Amino acid sequence: MIENRKAKHDFEILERFIAGIVLLGAEVKSINQGKVSLKDSFISLKNKEVFWKNGHMTIPNYVTMDRPEEKRDRKLLLTKKEIRKLTSEVEKYFVKEKNIKWRLLLLKV
């Protein structure tokens, strides 16, 4: 599992979520090899969908055909209930004041 250890020290963890992620073929290999950077990446909610943005995956050099962008938006797979929960928490805190899983942390500064 790829983890942002710095977030545990800099933020208060309010809740954890496990999410699937939509990947292209070579990206699975990148994750298995640990060639993923979470630095400066974030989760974005848009039109009742959740995306991992600004994350970087180093694609192996031997991949030549259908090579995905290393830094592209990737859709995260959560249930409708989880998306509603995330949306309501984000609004509460910020507006008013293949089987690869991702653990999302709802953080408070």
Side-chain angles (χ1 to χ4, degrees):
M1 177 169 299
I2 306 206
E3 184 176 297
N4 185 347
R5 292 183 188 110
K6 187 176 179 187
K8 289 181 182 180
H9 298 289
D10 294 347
F11 302 98
E12 173 189 353
I13 298 173
L14 301 176
E15 192 165 345
R16 297 173 190 263
F17 297 87
I18 303 268
I21 184 168
V22 177
L23 298 172
L24 302 175
E27 293 173 328
V28 174
K29 191 77 142 175
S30 295
I31 288 179
N32 288 336
Q33 294 174 351
K35 296 185 177 183
V36 177
S37 173
L38 299 176
K39 186 177 180 180
D40 298 327
S41 68
F42 58 95
I43 303 300
S44 174
L45 298 161
K46 185 177 180 181
N47 298 329
K48 298 181 181 177
E49 293 183 320
V50 183
F51 294 90
W52 176 46
K53 295 183 163 263
N54 212 29
H56 185 272
M57 288 188 187
T58 303
I59 305 301
N61 290 334
Y62 58 81
V63 176
T64 55
M65 293 181 57
D66 300 324
R67 186 180 181 88
E69 292 289 321
E70 292 188 344
K71 209 172 208 183
R72 67 176 187 88
D73 296 350
R74 292 168 179 92
K75 184 176 179 179
L76 299 179
L77 305 172
L78 294 158
T79 65
K80 288 180 184 181
K81 182 179 178 181
E82 290 170 324
I83 293 171
R84 280 194 301 269
K85 173 81 173 165
L86 273 173
T87 302
S88 70
E89 290 296 321
V90 167
E91 288 172 356
K92 178 178 170 184
Y93 288 104
F94 299 105
V95 175
K96 292 183 179 176
E97 0 178 92
K98 303 165 133 152
N99 245 10
I100 295 172
K101 300 291 182 181
W102 288 67
R103 183 179 300 158
L104 308 180
L105 304 175
L106 182 58
L107 305 171
K108 180 180 177 183
V109 179

